[in-house]
Amino acid sequence: MSDTIKNVKLADMPAYELVKAGTGGCAGCPSPMGLRIVGKALGPNSIMVMTPSCAVASIGVMPKSCYDVPVLNVCFASAGASAAGISMSLDAQLKNGALSGEKPTVFTWVGDGGTYDIGFQGISAAAERNDDFIHFCYNNEAYSNTGVQRSGATPKYAVTTTTPAGKESQKKNVPLLMLEQRIAYVATASLAYPLDFYRKVQKAKSIQGFKYIELHAPCGPGWKFASSDTVELARLAVKSGAWLLWEGEHGKLTLNAPTKQLAEGKMPCAELEEYLKLQGRFAHIMKSTEKAAAIEAMKSEIRREMDFMLGREKL
Amino acid sequence: MNNLPINPLSCATEGAGGPTGTWRSHRPVIDPAKCTGCLLCWIWCPEGVIAKEDRSINYDYCKGCGLCAKECPAHAITMIKEADHE
Amino acid sequence: MSKRMDTGNSACALAVKAAKVDFIAAYPITPQTSISEKLADYAAAGELSGVYLPVESEHSVMSAVAAASAAGSRTFTATSSQGLLYMHEILHYASGGRLPIVMANVNRAVCAPWCLYADHQDSVSQRDTGWLQFHCASHQEIYDTIFLAYKVAEKVKIPAMINYDGFLLSHSMLSFETLEQDLVDQFLTPYRPDWKLHPQWGGTFGNVAAAAEYSAYRNTLAEDTLKAAAVIEEEARNYQKLTGRWHGGMIDVQGPEDADVFLMSMGSMAAEMELAAEALQAMGIKADNLKVRVYRPFPAEALRQALPAHAKLLVFDRNLAYGHEGGALLMEARSALYNRDETVKIAGISLGIGGIDLPASLLTEKALALLEGLK
Ligand SMILES: Cc1ncc(C[n+]2csc(CCOP(=O)(O)OP(=O)(O)O)c2C)c(N)n1
Ligand code: SF4
Ligand code: SF4
Ligand SMILES: [Mg+2]
């Protein structure tokens, strides 16, 4: 269990549930797990935009929905523009008196497919315009909803149904692109660190303009691990350095614990193999003669990334 | 909700995905004597079926993922086969 | 009310401003661009009651406008050709969501090869997206149709596309009259929907539906689109009562009582067709100009009523129905009149593709050839 959750103040989080029990998602799904925390941090005065994904496929069928905030369930490439449209419409209506009260927080809940690939243009453009909403990417590193195909966020070597021999190219780094767009606030987060995530969402809520938060979201059926292991996988990703925790404001980067300590060598990284061997999508590597070389290559990528971020933090 | 039928609208409802408790092969059972009230199971349960106040579990929708049992630092939660549960 | 000499795009932008639109998103494309530039100018000068979002593509335009409409705003955008095609996915979303967006589509040919000039392939190829489609033949009609489109769209909760020909209308300088703001306000009250995407109302919009619910929504949209014809006729009359302006209801036929030859077309061609009808009349042919003002819903009933027994209907399409003779209007006119009256004869032609000039002399010549073929 988690030595990372010290001084836990989970008790301070509100009982409010954005997700109503009985969703259509798989047992152990990271999406409602993350959304529940988002709901606690943002509260009910919020409007959510979703695009086709597991989070939508598990919503239930009309006239029912498992989400207890207003939701615009829009097309796959639409998140950035639709959230901007809602946010500006609210501004206009609050100004002309058609609406009153506090402006609801507009946020998106979109997969890595909807963020890294098909929806990237609209999200990057909203970031550039500094439209006032929070974009959440729950990154399960594949198109899980359509049966686990590769996405721009799928890591190298991972098997998906469209990379049956393992992915050959490196994944994109969209949070880093957002950092360099110098948006109001960008953060990465992990399900294994709920308080860190909660704090980041609250922080994003308090800032006007475009905010981007990417949640690492291990998916059992997609990565082939047991439904009980979602948090364990999220934790091992952070501890091995496969997923880095950091945040940035207007281009100013801060590495968060424990990534900072791992990067600075003040704490040893967990063995990457521990993380990989729990997942079926890397099984071909673990069985192959190239196992040692592949793991070495992955580790050197992690080291490079950490060094880069340590240097970037000084800017 | 002021639901106008002309727009395609749905209403927030428990069990929108069906009676998901029937998916379960094993059920989590919490030993109150061991539970320290750390609330980790509450925050991590994907379905939100563990009550914050008393950690009672809503078995109508608990999918039996086993995450709460795996993560409980006090080992207060055991997964018990549904058939064996009287 | 003031008379001015200006472009069709200016007439459009002026009407949008007068319609007190709350939310505009747009992306440049010839020949629409000057509408979005003018609206951006109005916004910058504080003359616009609403806000203006300059997005990065037409897919995003329609995504933003649909979302803002769901959030409760009166919305507008303008596009042409490739831009309209690029919106296609969200056009279906907007109509299925019953969002009363109004959009100007300045008609332009579609690529390949590239061509900047007017034909109706862009809008005709969006026929089955569930939008109302108006066509305008003059600057005055563009200006007046903006108000009518909002009135109707918000009443029937179906988005509306206002089409007019690129360059021929969008860039030509012609005179038209604006309307005093209080008359506009009388005709068009502020948009106040019964439901908004907002915590005060709640709800998941556009959720996954089972077949029964899905088909119920879609069938209702189909029925309501047909019913919109009566609303358009009624509101066009209301607008006439208020302003004295009339461009027709679903169609416009104003020729001789005893006409038996009808020249059917839409867009700027319909203005030129007036002259062709006169030329035919001078030759002793009892010809009348039949302007299609609304392409969706198709003016089937208006057509049935307008045509006497033994009429000859000559259909001029500025689009191509690939794999079929002529264009969309010809196909649809035939199907609307089938079984109605076997004595009505129908012939048609596609022309003016890629903006080829259509002077009255050419239209007259083509009409005579079509009549010859009907003998
Ligand atoms: C334009 C369009 N193309 C393809 C699809 C099919 N589709 C639905 S969900 C999805 C993948 C979603 O992936 P991601 O955003 O990562 O969400 P996840 O399913 O992993 O939760 C795809 C390809 C679609 N709905 N729309
Ligand atoms: S496939 Fe993965 S992301 Fe999709 S519902 Fe199942 S666990 Fe969740
Ligand atoms: S088994 Fe899973 S769904 Fe059931 S209470 Fe535990 S964490 Fe929640
Ligand atoms: Mg995904």
Side-chain angles (χ1 to χ4, degrees):
Chain A
M1 217 319 298
S2 152
D3 54 1
T4 54
I5 303 182
K6 291 179 190 126
N7 313 315
V8 184
K9 288 269 247 339
L10 289 173
D12 300 339
M13 287 197 200
Y16 167 71
E17 295 291 351
L18 189 153
V19 183
K20 294 256 179 193
T23 73
C26 303
C29 179
S31 168
M33 202 190 286
L35 255 184
R36 287 183 60 228
I37 297 172
V38 168
K40 291 174 193 304
L42 297 182
N45 191 30
S46 305
I47 300 175
M48 173 159 69
V49 176
M50 313 187 92
T51 61
S53 58
C54 280
V56 162
S58 56
I59 194 169
V61 177
M62 240 172 161
K64 295 177 182 171
S65 162
C66 65
Y67 302 126
D68 199 14
V69 286
V71 179
L72 188 78
N73 206 324
V74 74
C75 298
F76 205 8
S78 300
S82 289
I86 294 165
S87 180
M88 266 183 98
S89 166
L90 294 176
D91 290 339
Q93 293 186 69
L94 287 166
K95 207 172 119 197
N96 72 19
L99 286 174
S100 57
E102 199 184 320
K103 182 182 177 183
T105 304
V106 179
F107 73 99
T108 63
W109 186 256
V110 172
D112 47 302
T115 302
Y116 279 59
D117 297 342
I118 196 166
F120 181 71
Q121 169 182 306
I123 289 156
S124 160
E128 182 266 333
R129 290 187 303 261
N130 196 30
D131 294 326
D132 183 30
F133 67 92
I134 310 172
H135 179 77
F136 286 101
C137 170
Y138 71 94
N139 181 359
N140 55 13
E141 301 183 342
Y143 301 163
S144 291
N145 180 44
T146 38
V148 197
Q149 294 80 28
R150 83 189 288 286
S151 81
T154 302
K156 192 172 174 179
Y157 303 109
V159 165
T160 67
T161 55
T162 48
T163 53
K167 195 183 171 198
E168 287 180 16
S169 54
Q170 296 286 354
K171 63 182 179 181
K172 291 192 204 178
N173 191 337
V174 173
L176 190 61
L177 294 174
M178 289 295 146
L179 182 72
E180 288 308 318
Q181 281 194 244
R182 280 172 278 157
I183 58 173
Y185 184 68
V186 52
T188 61
S190 164
L191 283 168
Y193 300 81
L195 284 169
D196 178 70
F197 182 39
Y198 181 74
R199 175 185 68 76
K200 286 169 173 170
V201 181
Q202 279 193 321
K203 174 143 193 179
K205 182 185 167 159
S206 73
I207 296 171
Q208 153 84 28
F210 184 81
K211 289 84 60 178
Y212 179 102
I213 297 181
E214 185 161 321
L215 178 70
H216 195 226
C219 156
W223 302 10
K224 299 187 175 59
F225 63 78
S227 62
S228 57
D229 290 359
T230 306
V231 171
E232 175 71 4
L233 264 295
R235 183 182 299 120
L236 281 170
V238 172
K239 290 190 153 185
S240 63
W243 185 253
L244 308 185
L245 292 178
W246 53 266
E247 63 198 307
E249 279 180 81
H250 299 290
K252 181 77 197 121
L253 172 68
T254 308
L255 296 184
N256 303 128
T259 297
K260 172 106 173 146
Q261 290 71 16
L262 296 173
E264 287 176 339
K266 291 182 181 152
M267 215 165 99
C269 285
E271 267 311 317
L272 184 64
E273 197 175 335
E274 294 301 307
Y275 175 55
L276 301 177
K277 76 178 187 204
L278 280 177
Q279 308 173 50
R281 63 179 175 160
F282 295 113
H284 61 301
I285 294 288
M286 305 311 270
K287 279 182 257 158
S288 110
T289 51
E290 287 157 45
K291 174 180 163 181
I295 291 180
E296 243 356 273
M298 285 189 243
K299 280 185 174 168
S300 87
E301 268 306 312
I302 289 172
R303 193 59 254 170
R304 187 201 154 275
E305 184 98 359
M306 284 177 163
D307 289 343
F308 176 84
M309 294 306 265
L310 282 172
R312 179 64 183 75
E313 205 182 22
K314 296 194 184 89
L315 264 187
Chain B
M1 192 186 78
N2 182 359
N3 189 339
L4 260 203
I6 191 103
N7 298 105
L9 292 173
S10 294
C11 210
T13 318
E14 226 177 47
T20 54
T22 61
W23 299 6
R24 204 172 51 232
S25 64
H26 291 67
R27 71 164 53 195
V29 175
I30 303 189
D31 180 350
K34 287 191 188 161
C35 171
T36 62
C38 74
L39 292 179
L40 283 169
C41 62
W42 168 69
I43 201 63
W44 273 325
C45 171
E47 290 299 306
V49 296
I50 304 178
K52 189 182 181 193
E53 316 75 57
D54 60 358
R55 268 77 66 202
S56 60
I57 294 174
N58 180 350
Y59 291 109
D60 289 347
Y61 301 115
C62 161
K63 292 172 180 168
C65 69
L67 206 141
C68 52
K70 165 129 190 169
E71 292 297 334
C72 173
H75 306 290
I77 309 178
T78 327
M79 298 303 289
I80 297 173
K81 218 171 169 192
E82 275 299 327
D84 300 345
H85 181 85
E86 57 301 285
Chain C
M1 210 171 305
S2 76
K3 219 179 175 80
R4 58 192 286 164
M5 198 57 175
D6 214 331
T7 64
N9 281 353
S10 292
C12 176
L14 284 166
V16 169
K17 181 165 76 166
K20 298 193 174 158
V21 171
D22 303 308
F23 181 93
I24 296 165
Y27 189 78
I29 182 167
T30 305
Q32 166 280 129
T33 306
S34 62
I35 304 175
S36 29
E37 288 174 344
K38 284 195 169 70
L39 292 171
D41 281 345
Y42 297 152
E47 294 170 24
L48 212 62
S49 52
V51 290
Y52 184 97
L53 182 66
V55 290
E56 83 298 340
S57 77
E58 288 88 353
H59 191 282
S60 285
V61 163
M62 198 38 68
S63 300
V65 162
S69 180
S73 287
R74 176 175 289 161
T75 58
F76 178 80
T77 187
T79 192
S80 293
S81 179
Q82 308 304 123
L84 183 67
L85 305 188
Y86 201 29
M87 287 178 183
H88 179 76
E89 182 188 28
I90 323 297
L91 296 182
H92 281 285
Y93 185 88
S95 60
R98 305 302 296 261
L99 303 169
I101 300 157
V102 169
M103 165 165 67
N105 177 57
V106 184
N107 292 105
R108 168 184 149 181
V110 298
C111 85
W114 290 99
C115 177
L116 300 177
Y117 303 107
D119 69 35
H120 299 159
Q121 205 67 42
D122 55 359
S123 55
V124 162
S125 67
Q126 304 308 310
R127 184 191 69 180
D128 298 333
T129 54
W131 282 56
L132 309 177
Q133 287 199 20
F134 293 83
H135 274 267
C136 304
S138 69
H139 291 29
Q140 191 64 57
E141 189 172 3
I142 296 170
Y143 182 84
D144 295 328
T145 304
I146 296 281
F147 308 127
L148 178 68
Y150 275 113
K151 188 72 181 267
V152 173
E154 288 169 10
K155 219 166 169 178
V156 302
K157 295 184 191 287
I158 299 174
M161 187 187 302
I162 299 170
N163 294 285
Y164 58 92
D165 292 336
F167 294 107
L168 299 169
L169 292 177
S170 66
H171 285 61
S172 57
M173 299 281 283
L174 288 170
S175 84
F176 60 93
E177 277 182 8
T178 56
L179 201 60
E180 272 145 33
Q181 189 63 49
D182 66 314
L183 282 182
V184 177
D185 294 346
Q186 266 183 59
F187 185 70
L188 198 60
T189 51
Y191 180 51
R192 293 288 179 267
D194 315 295
W195 174 87
K196 293 181 185 185
L197 183 77
H198 186 279
Q200 205 178 313
W201 287 264
T204 290
F205 182 99
N207 190 13
V208 183
E213 281 75 19
Y214 181 82
S215 64
Y217 274 104
R218 288 289 169 169
N219 288 328
T220 306
L221 173 60
E223 283 160 24
D224 290 354
T225 308
L226 287 174
K227 287 187 204 153
V231 180
I232 293 170
E233 297 276 5
E234 182 193 338
E235 291 302 339
R237 288 290 170 203
N238 288 340
Y239 190 73
Q240 184 189 28
K241 270 181 222 144
L242 193 71
T243 67
R245 298 177 191 176
W246 176 254
H247 306 282
M250 293 294 287
I251 60 174
D252 194 26
V253 271
Q254 293 188 354
E257 281 284 304
D258 59 347
D260 59 2
V261 172
F262 292 82
L263 310 178
M264 178 178 182
S265 68
M266 58 188 182
S268 63
M269 200 196 326
E272 201 67 14
M273 203 64 84
E274 195 71 48
L275 303 174
E278 281 167 19
L280 293 178
Q281 285 158 17
M283 292 175 206
I285 298 167
K286 292 178 201 143
D288 193 359
N289 183 19
L290 193 158
K291 181 182 81 170
V292 173
R293 193 181 186 207
V294 182
Y295 174 59
R296 269 296 170 282
F298 191 75
E301 191 49 43
L303 207 54
R304 285 182 206 121
Q305 283 178 15
L307 298 182
H310 300 285
K312 295 191 174 76
L313 182 64
L314 311 182
V315 186
F316 296 79
D317 268 291
R318 204 166 199 147
N319 65 84
L320 293 161
Y322 296 104
H324 194 280
E325 170 204 1
L329 280 180
L330 177 62
M331 285 170 75
E332 301 208 30
R334 276 214 179 108
S335 108
L337 295 167
Y338 187 72
N339 278 350
R340 178 268 191 186
D341 181 351
E342 283 135 52
T343 65
V344 173
K345 292 213 168 92
I346 309 171
I349 183 175
S350 283
L351 74 185
I353 304 302
I356 282 186
D357 204 17
L358 296 176
S361 55
L362 179 79
L363 297 174
T364 310
E365 192 186 299
K366 297 291 181 194
L368 287 169
L370 287 172
L371 274 177
E372 192 57 34
L374 279 180
K375 275 189 185 147

